[in-house]
Amino acid sequence: MSIRDCALKSAAFSKLKEFYDHREDGIKAARKKGTKVIAELGCDVPDELLLAGGLMPVRIYADPDRELVQTNKYLEFSFDPIVRAQFEKIIDGTYGDLVDAMVVSNSTDVIIRIYLYLREMHRVEPEKNIPEVEFIDWLFTRNLLYQQRNEFLLGLFQETVERWAGRKISDEEIIEAAKVCNADKAALRKIGELRHGKEVRINGSEALVIIGSAFFMDRKEHTKLVEEVAKEAASWPVIDAPRVFFTGSNQESTDLYDKIEASGVVIVGEDHDWGDRFYDRDFNLDYTVRRALVDCYMLREFSSKKAFTSQRVAALNREVEKTAADGVIFYMNEYEEAASWDYPPQKKSLEAAGKKTLYFAKMKWPFKDSEDISAKLDAFANDLKGGR
């Protein structure tokens, strides 16, 4: 099961898919209008601040077909393969021509190292066409001291955003931008309900397109289109298949989801940063601006890259229960060790609750189909169907 005809016949979904498939077109169109574009590496950059400054945030993504000519000169082969491919586009001049600056958040340890490499390259090779880089050094432990530290860090980041915007940014502007982001998340939650409600009407590949298109287009336009899709999808055919929750490596395309759902299951949720986790938590309009920003990003559901194993076990249990999943697929690319550390206790906890699991580790990227993958997925799907 990949993207179905009912979705492709939707004008709103097709527009979202156009932005998802042709990610740089939206960037070029924004710059042509005079909008400054800021690239984000890492999933914890506060879009609200960038939007308040009149800037367009876009997510850096990997090109699976690009030779890593420059990356191989600088990065070890033990880096996460997706990050290596993202790094290539940063240092080969692609993003230097596309964006005005970039922000790196310390969402993973490997991204922190990428920032250090880029900082050093700016110092020793200033002639390279690499965007200006700003770093947000979040503290993710949930206590008052770290919250206060993060509020201070966001104050520093706001000064940088103001320099990019060429003006001061008021609290009122941040609140208005936050309302835009909150509205988009509310629209995406309607999509979520159509994935894991009583009846499943949107499959995983369709959801990835709907969510991921937000990273490459105007946020207000995205909200409008998602609202239209949610209304239309309420009458799309019900998907009668075992429900699966996906956890592990970020999926920047639908290739793997297409393969998984072709086995006869439907992906009703995920906890990676190109899926459900994007709209997990709102900006609380009752808080002060800095506190609300920190709350929005510090208190989202736990990521495997920035959480203790016990936190990840509890987080996955919550998500599986919320989506009423029958089983869970764990899928980790090679050199993504953090998520694999969580797997044994997660598997034990899930199976104690009667949930079946399937595990793929040290997988090559980009995704390539194989008889072994197909056989395991088919067996898992048949097992789930027998247990329904």
Side-chain angles (χ1 to χ4, degrees), residues 267-279:
I267 299 173
V268 292
E270 61 282 306
D271 59 2
H272 62 72
D273 297 307
W274 282 65
D276 284 345
R277 193 167 181 269
F278 170 64
Y279 59 91

Side-chain angles (χ1 to χ4, degrees), residues 245-382:
F245 189 87
F246 181 95
T247 185
S249 300
N250 286 340
Q251 298 303 309
E252 297 185 352
S253 78
T254 66
D255 293 347
L256 177 58
Y257 275 33
D258 290 345
K259 179 60 184 175
I260 292 172
E261 293 186 317
S263 70
V265 301
V266 59
I267 299 173
V268 292
E270 61 282 306
D271 59 2
H272 62 72
D273 297 307
W274 282 65
D276 284 345
R277 193 167 181 269
F278 170 64
Y279 59 91
D280 180 64
R281 193 171 183 85
D282 283 345
F283 178 107
N284 192 324
L285 297 171
D286 294 328
Y287 291 170
T288 61
V289 164
R290 296 274 172 79
R291 181 186 173 191
L293 285 170
V294 171
D295 173 87
C296 187
Y297 290 89
M298 273 187 74
L299 299 185
R300 291 193 297 172
E301 195 60 277
F302 290 103
S303 163
S304 64
K305 311 299 194 301
K306 290 287 181 181
F308 299 120
T309 296
S310 59
Q311 294 170 328
R312 285 288 297 147
V313 170
L316 184 56
N317 287 343
R318 284 192 294 270
E319 291 300 308
V320 170
E321 181 179 0
K322 183 176 77 173
T323 57
D326 301 305
V328 178
I329 292 179
F330 295 80
Y331 188 99
M332 290 84 164
N333 291 331
E334 58 183 347
Y335 303 118
E336 285 198 59
E337 288 84 3
S340 66
W341 300 337
D342 301 332
Y343 170 68
Q346 286 179 322
K347 172 183 169 67
K348 181 179 179 181
S349 180
L350 288 168
E351 292 186 345
K355 305 297 182 181
K356 300 180 184 295
T357 63
L358 178 62
Y359 182 59
F360 295 96
K362 298 184 178 180
M363 304 303 291
K364 296 293 185 181
W365 184 90
F367 168 73
K368 292 290 189 296
D369 196 0
S370 72
E371 291 184 9
D372 185 50
I373 290 175
S374 296
K376 289 180 178 178
L377 287 171
D378 289 344
F380 185 61
N382 288 333

Side-chain angles (χ1 to χ4, degrees), residues 71-322:
T71 295
N72 290 339
K73 297 177 182 178
Y74 296 94
L75 289 190
E76 297 89 336
F77 288 92
S78 59
F79 273 68
D80 174 342
I82 294 179
V83 173
R84 279 175 52 84
Q86 291 170 338
F87 187 76
E88 178 72 21
K89 292 174 63 181
I90 296 170
I91 66 171
D92 72 358
T94 299
Y95 279 109
D97 294 332
L98 276 177
V99 305
D100 297 277
M102 64 178 289
V103 187
V104 178
S105 68
N106 62 339
S107 303
T108 70
D109 290 339
V110 69
I111 289 178
I112 296 172
R113 285 186 282 159
I114 290 295
Y115 165 70
L116 296 175
Y117 277 62
L118 292 174
R119 186 180 67 178
E120 190 65 6
M121 290 176 71
H122 269 297
R123 187 181 71 84
V124 301
E125 298 182 84
E127 70 280 2
K128 288 189 78 68
N129 185 18
I130 301 174
E132 175 191 345
V133 183
E134 181 70 11
F135 184 58
I136 304 178
D137 192 17
W138 289 98
L139 300 174
F140 287 94
T141 304
R142 298 177 175 184
N143 61 45
L144 179 60
L145 181 62
Y146 283 18
Q147 175 185 316
Q148 292 170 339
R149 167 70 174 168
N150 284 333
E151 290 179 17
F152 170 76
L153 290 172
L154 284 189
L156 298 179
F157 178 58
Q158 181 172 337
E159 292 176 4
T160 299
V161 175
E162 289 174 339
R163 174 168 57 80
W164 290 337
R167 60 177 177 80
K168 289 288 186 182
I169 299 172
S170 68
D171 285 355
E172 289 74 21
E173 288 175 306
I174 297 172
I175 290 170
E176 288 306 308
K179 290 179 180 178
V180 170
C181 292
N182 284 358
D184 194 44
K185 293 173 184 176
L188 288 171
R189 289 190 189 104
K190 294 178 182 178
I191 298 298
E193 285 300 315
L194 293 169
R195 293 181 73 188
H196 55 247
K198 185 176 180 180
E199 296 179 328
V200 180
R201 295 182 183 271
I202 294 177
N203 70 30
S205 293
E206 292 157 358
L208 281 189
V209 170
I210 295 167
I211 299 166
S213 53
F215 306 150
F216 307 102
M217 63 184 295
D218 176 81
R219 202 61 56 86
K220 290 182 179 179
E221 183 182 1
H222 184 259
T223 303
K224 180 175 179 293
L225 291 171
V226 173
E227 290 277 6
E228 291 177 19
V229 171
K231 290 179 183 177
E232 295 173 9
S235 60
W236 288 356
V238 174
I239 302 170
D240 184 19
R243 299 178 176 219
V244 167
F245 189 87
F246 181 95
T247 185
S249 300
N250 286 340
Q251 298 303 309
E252 297 185 352
S253 78
T254 66
D255 293 347
L256 177 58
Y257 275 33
D258 290 345
K259 179 60 184 175
I260 292 172
E261 293 186 317
S263 70
V265 301
V266 59
I267 299 173
V268 292
E270 61 282 306
D271 59 2
H272 62 72
D273 297 307
W274 282 65
D276 284 345
R277 193 167 181 269
F278 170 64
Y279 59 91
D280 180 64
R281 193 171 183 85
D282 283 345
F283 178 107
N284 192 324
L285 297 171
D286 294 328
Y287 291 170
T288 61
V289 164
R290 296 274 172 79
R291 181 186 173 191
L293 285 170
V294 171
D295 173 87
C296 187
Y297 290 89
M298 273 187 74
L299 299 185
R300 291 193 297 172
E301 195 60 277
F302 290 103
S303 163
S304 64
K305 311 299 194 301
K306 290 287 181 181
F308 299 120
T309 296
S310 59
Q311 294 170 328
R312 285 288 297 147
V313 170
L316 184 56
N317 287 343
R318 284 192 294 270
E319 291 300 308
V320 170
E321 181 179 0
K322 183 176 77 173

